């Protein structure tokens, strides 16, 4: 299944890694190890960040994705299942709606 991984790297230790000339090499090593389908780097919450799509067979793959960010950059990682339009169609929303049609809908104003 595809997962969207949001990575937030705090200013430190990243600044120190940049000053020591190892940040780029370390980033390359992490990305080559994880092999994301795609990855984009951006600012997040005033910090350096990355957003990547990874393919995982099951939840046991998550530590191998998270630990390089945690251990090397003291990063914060968020994991979300990502569905394609085809995945959403397989969910059969109409059938789910029928299953739960007896539950009264509460409207909030």
């Amino acid at each position: 299944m595809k997962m969207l991984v949001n990575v937030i790297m705090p200013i430190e230790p990243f600044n120190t890694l940049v000053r020591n000339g190892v940040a780029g090499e370390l980033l390359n090593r992490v990305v080559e190890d994880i092999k994301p389908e795609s990855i984009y780097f951006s600012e997040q919450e005033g910090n350096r960040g990355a957003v990547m799509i990874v393919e995982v067979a099951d939840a046991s793959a998550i530590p191998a994705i998270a630990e390089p960010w945690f251990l090397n950059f003291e990063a914060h990682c968020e994991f979300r299942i990502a569905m394609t339009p085809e995945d959403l169609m397989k969910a059969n929303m109409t059938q789910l709606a029928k299953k739960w049609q007896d539950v009264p809908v509460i409207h909030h104003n």
Side-chain angles (χ1 to χ4, degrees):
M1 79 184 106
K2 292 190 187 308
M3 293 193 83
L4 185 143
V5 182
N6 191 46
V7 180
I8 299 172
M9 296 171 274
I11 300 300
E12 282 300 336
F14 205 97
N15 278 356
T16 299
L17 295 169
V18 170
R19 287 186 185 103
N20 292 341
V22 296
E25 177 185 328
L26 198 49
L27 273 173
N28 282 335
R29 188 172 160 199
V30 168
V31 171
E32 285 179 15
D33 186 65
I34 295 171
K35 295 177 182 41
E37 189 174 296
S38 62
I39 186 167
Y40 299 93
F41 294 93
S42 180
E43 173 279 334
Q44 293 191 44
E45 299 178 13
N47 296 285
R48 293 173 179 95
V51 177
M52 60 183 171
I53 300 291
V54 295
E55 184 70 33
V56 295
D58 57 52
S60 67
I62 293 172
I65 297 165
E67 289 302 326
W69 299 106
F70 294 157
L71 294 170
N72 293 296
F73 302 105
E74 297 182 21
H76 172 87
C77 297
E78 301 168 337
F79 293 84
R80 292 184 178 88
I81 301 298
M83 290 189 294
T84 64
E86 294 80 17
D87 294 332
L88 187 57
M89 294 305 292
K90 287 180 192 175
N92 198 345
M93 300 290 276
T94 303
Q95 185 63 31
L96 290 171
K98 287 179 185 176
K99 177 180 178 179
W100 294 99
Q101 70 185 1
D102 64 323
V103 177
V105 177
I106 299 172
H107 297 280
H108 297 281
N109 294 335

